[in-house]
Amino acid sequence: MAAAPLVALAAPVAASAASSSFDLAGPNVVVSVRHGTVTLPLEAVPNLVEGDVVSIKLDLPPEQTEGFRIVAGFLRGAIDRPSKDWFHEAHSRKGKSPDFSLTVPKGAQQMALLVIPESGGGADAVISTVRKRPGAFVRAVQELNQATLDRARLDAFLRETLKAERQNPESVSAASQVLTRSLAIKLKAECLQQPAELQAACLTGDRETLLLADTHSSALASTLAGAPTDLAFQLSATPQAGYGSYSSYIGVVRDMFRLLGAFQSTQLQFIPALAQIGNGRATLLLNTPLSFAKPTSVMVVAMPAIEAPKPPPLRPSTPDIALCAAPGLVLPVEGAPLIYATQFARDMALRLKRPDGTLVDVPVHADARRGGYVLDAALPAGPFGGAIPAQLHGIWGFAPFEGPSFALSNPALNAWKTAEGTSLVVGRPNDVEILGGGAGCVTQVSLRRGDGAAKPVTWKQAGTRGIVATLPLDKTAPGAVSVVIEGAAGTTPAVITLSALQEAGSVDDLTFHAGDDEAVLTGARLDQVKAMTIGPLAFHPGGLTRVDNQDRLTLLADDSAKAQTIGAGTSLTAEVTFSAGRRKTVPVTVGGRRTGATLVRIAGQVPAHDGIVPITLSNPDVFAQDARISFAFHKDGMEPLDGQERIEIATADGRATGTIKAGKGYDLQDATTGIVAFAPTETLGTLAYGPVRFRIWHDDAPSNWTALATIVRLPDIRSVTCPARDKCQVAGDRLFLIKAIGASEQADTLQAIPDGFVNPRITTTAARDGRIFLQLRDAPTVFASVTAGK
């Protein structure tokens, strides 16, 4: 069985496509183009322009017995019939191969060669056929040119993949994936799942099923906009954003037969020929044997389009990353796979700019297996700064072009310093900006504490002149730490010593609203806050969160009723007490009363768990932690809702909080009724329990809190067996969540469960109806019950 093909076609391919491989070698054609005073072989010419001189010679071996004639023709467009004098003929004479030179006339858009056996007669019939159907022939030449460019990319992929296999079979997987990006070929992953020694054979086993995706080569052989009336067929291609098309190689070849079929007659048979270009000549590749009898074969060869130069749309693959200007530097580029598959781009160099403004060029070459242009020489001598501006430039055919710009780092400069005002604080991660000229040459950043070993830390480039390293100081004591920055091979690591300090708590802001029983502090190291007073009110710490690099601490009033008697606009002094007895006073003006909300209705559904005995809760306002809870609410005064609100759910102590947004649990029944659905374990976490409340956020302003429900954790009871009512056994997991158990809801009759209970069974008694009552540790006033199995 054949190896798995490299890619799948974008559209179904006819069964006949399997026989359309271009594996028959036809004659060789030597073509050169003179533009002004510069002459190039065909392989270096992406396009022709008016006035170019095209020299053509059919290169036949001396032992060749059959002569050929060449007809070179220029075409104006799909609906403009070319004049007869735009066709030129040359034929074999006394063993001499046909050759001629032609000047591209004004107004020409396409050029084609038609190669005919001498025995096929004169060229008049061929010329007449083409002039009668210019639209179909223009399209055929364009697509044949596209197929030739596609074939060049496929050949480059196969050549480089096989080279990788010869060098190291283990490298085929990595090399082929880079090649697919370089040459814009879609890779079939099945090949890379095979053993290493089989991957290359799989990847190169069937070139006719390779799928290509490239806008630049499609633009160089662009198709007509619209379909002229005499164009009988169109290719199966998918337009992409108005710039070229994605076209599978086999699809082009298949439709080429149909297009050229419009020309067939009893005298002539037009067949496509792909030009495999290299070493100054084009070898014609055929997929149909030549016929020297009627109908005589006419080989159709596409020349480059006659149009303005279209330089490759190169762009850097990593535009925001500085690169290290060390030996072997690769400039990663994408957007123009023809730079790897053809010689259209030549005299390529990287132009470097010194601090004094002078420029120096370093030659580069395209390497498909490395995914970009590779420097051919080391960084030249002379003064360079830490950051080096650089730009690719070269010649595309006959036209100079400027490529993308890059930021390079000088590996010789390894001086680093922290940004001004940098300070390290223990107890949390610190992002430290470190400035220097060699950002692109950094290979590793490590942190060393005291005399200990350096351990790698996370870092990233920050522009072209610096890096940002994340130093994990969560569990570090105050003192000196060292940041070690390693650069390119051969350079000495740089060491920066910094002091990590214990940060003292500080307060940036205090908010307290009339009608609230909580206040909110923002600042730094608020975990050190132990208590606070606002005038006559005492507060204790609740939940601590971190928002926008600041601590945000909720403080809860010891006397909720008294807190709500403070009127809006009252000016008071708050005193914040930190650990170690340090105090800070903060003036505060009591804010206006905030809008509240009214709970309209609440319900919950506990999911069934296989093997778990259901537990019934006696209070309708108490819900199991894993229940799916839904509730409805109104804003005070029936204020309208617009669906842009965020609903915050939190435990009463503020230590667990979560937000529910529209479309993710929050919905509207109508303009005044909001519907919320949530699962406590998902919104608040698996350790949250007790009273919970909610409030409404809109335009970054919160409403007042509204009590919602009580959440309790339930034990996982797997069996309840009662051989007799006074000898029941309850078995399961997390039985420590039961505070007391027995045959009634009378607390003084229940059997207490000791703290830290880890046994999997409890022996107890049951009521007459078989129920066993559980007093829950999370809410001692709440009772639940289970029923013994029969």
Side-chain angles (χ1 to χ4, degrees), residues 308-329:
K310 294 181 178 178
L314 287 174
R315 57 184 180 273
S317 303
T318 54
D320 300 324
I321 300 298
L323 305 172
C324 189
L329 167 65

Side-chain angles (χ1 to χ4, degrees), residues 578-599:
F578 293 90
S579 57
R582 189 171 63 89
R583 288 177 169 80
K584 181 177 179 62
T585 58
V586 182
V588 60
T589 299
V590 180
R593 187 176 296 270
R594 294 185 290 197
T595 300
T598 301
L599 180 65

Side-chain angles (χ1 to χ4, degrees), residues 303-345:
M303 291 289 100
I306 303 169
E307 59 186 2
K310 294 181 178 178
L314 287 174
R315 57 184 180 273
S317 303
T318 54
D320 300 324
I321 300 298
L323 305 172
C324 189
L329 167 65
V330 177
L331 302 166
V333 295
E334 57 188 30
L338 289 180
I339 64 171
Y340 305 107
T342 69
Q343 299 179 33
F344 294 163

Side-chain angles (χ1 to χ4, degrees), residues 34-96:
R34 187 175 79 244
H35 180 86
T37 60
V38 179
T39 300
L40 295 176
L42 183 62
E43 62 244 42
V45 181
N47 67 285
L48 303 173
V49 297
E50 176 190 340
D52 284 350
V53 177
V54 184
S55 298
I56 304 163
K57 179 181 179 180
L58 193 63
D59 185 16
L60 299 174
E63 64 273 13
Q64 178 80 28
T65 59
E66 179 68 31
F68 288 87
R69 66 180 74 235
I70 299 179
V71 174
F74 295 98
L75 301 167
R76 224 186 298 267
I79 57 174
D80 196 350
R81 188 177 185 184
S83 61
K84 193 171 182 180
D85 61 4
W86 275 17
F87 292 84
H88 307 269
E89 177 188 4
H91 58 87
S92 304
R93 300 186 302 276
K94 297 181 180 179
K96 182 181 179 182

